Amino acid sequence: MARLAPLALAALALAACAGPARLGRPETSGGEGELGERLAARAASLAGERGAFRAGGERFNPDCSGFVQAVYQAEGIPLRRLMALASPRETSGAAAAYRAVRAYGIAFGGGGQWPVPGDLVFFHDTYDRDRDGRADDRFTHVGVVERVRGGTVVFLHRGGRAVVRAALTPGRPDVALAPDGTRLNSPIRDRRPPLRDGATLTGQLFAGYGRIDPARVPREIAHGAAR
């Protein structure tokens, strides 16, 4: 995988993904909005956590995919099971999460579309998954959106050492800090070993957003998660 696992500088990404985005216009009803706020709050409550995650009596790996799985499981969305159903042979946790949102929700991004709290945010090339020294690894990291403010997406993710907040400003992908010092894009690429194109910021490596639709979760899977 990586594995089926205030704005800090942060943390180098350690997870993985793959697959082309399906663009769409996300819709959010009141009930879904409440779920999203709970997911965002749950993610924020884990800021600073360093070890494995636990939710619903299950253990989740201390990596980016384990973090999002635990957040969703704690709010009744069996993301790990959905990932396994959507891509049973996938060894990358972030890739499996991306495929799960395509199968049981919507993948979107670009064209003026914005996420809402609780959505997943994906990145390419946050580490050299195939160890070839090139930036050619798609969908390698995933986090949970906390809020969007002034064109900047604030999200939480499990970085190299702990769960941290980070910033993403798609409209200014190459700018780390605003003139007033506000964080616009956080560093997110693991530099070991170094990759050749030099991109390291969230805006430069941004891949898209995803949202699970609870209505599309198979009943038997949803029932199992609720017990």
Side-chain angles (χ1 to χ4, degrees):
M1 313 190 202
R3 298 187 183 117
L4 292 186
L7 300 176
L9 274 180
L12 305 172
L14 299 173
C17 254
R22 177 176 56 132
L23 295 180
R25 183 171 298 281
E27 302 287 345
T28 302
S29 68
E32 290 171 342
E34 293 171 6
L35 172 61
E37 293 288 350
R38 293 199 308 272
L39 289 166
R42 181 74 63 173
S45 75
L46 295 173
E49 289 292 322
R50 296 174 177 271
F53 305 99
R54 295 187 181 277
E58 297 185 41
R59 180 188 182 279
F60 299 87
N61 289 337
D63 59 17
C64 76
S65 57
F67 167 63
V68 300
Q69 289 166 7
V71 167
Y72 273 60
Q73 181 72 29
E75 296 301 330
I77 304 296
L79 181 58
R80 176 155 65 185
R81 293 177 180 84
L82 297 178
M83 290 161 61
L85 285 173
S87 52
R89 296 181 180 84
E90 180 58 66
T91 60
S92 160
Y98 183 73
R99 292 178 181 176
V101 299
R102 293 185 66 194
Y104 302 104
I106 186 169
F108 63 100
Q113 297 170 324
W114 291 98
V116 297
D119 283 351
L120 297 178
V121 55
F122 295 91
F123 300 90
H124 297 312
D125 293 310
T126 54
Y127 77 109
D128 188 9
R129 185 184 180 199
D130 58 11
R131 300 181 183 180
D132 65 356
R134 294 180 293 181
D136 58 1
D137 300 288
R138 293 173 58 78
F139 293 96
T140 57
H141 198 61
V142 59
V144 178
V145 173
E146 183 178 27
R147 63 184 183 273
V148 179
R149 183 173 298 169
T152 295
V153 178
V154 179
F155 66 97
L156 291 110
H157 68 123
R158 175 50 161 92
R161 296 182 179 179
V163 175
V164 295
R165 280 184 178 85
L168 162 67
T169 306
R172 303 178 69 183
D174 302 319
V175 182
L177 296 173
D180 65 359
T182 300
R183 173 64 58 184
L184 298 181
N185 290 287
S186 299
I188 199 169
R189 174 180 280 175
D190 188 343
R191 295 173 180 267
R192 299 163 295 177
L195 296 175
R196 295 172 188 167
D197 73 346
T200 61
L201 299 176
T202 49
Q204 296 168 325
L205 303 177
F206 170 60
Y209 309 109
R211 182 178 308 154
I212 295 291
D213 179 357
R216 294 177 62 181
V217 176
R219 288 187 178 183
E220 63 276 15
I221 300 298
H223 179 70
R227 287 184 305 194

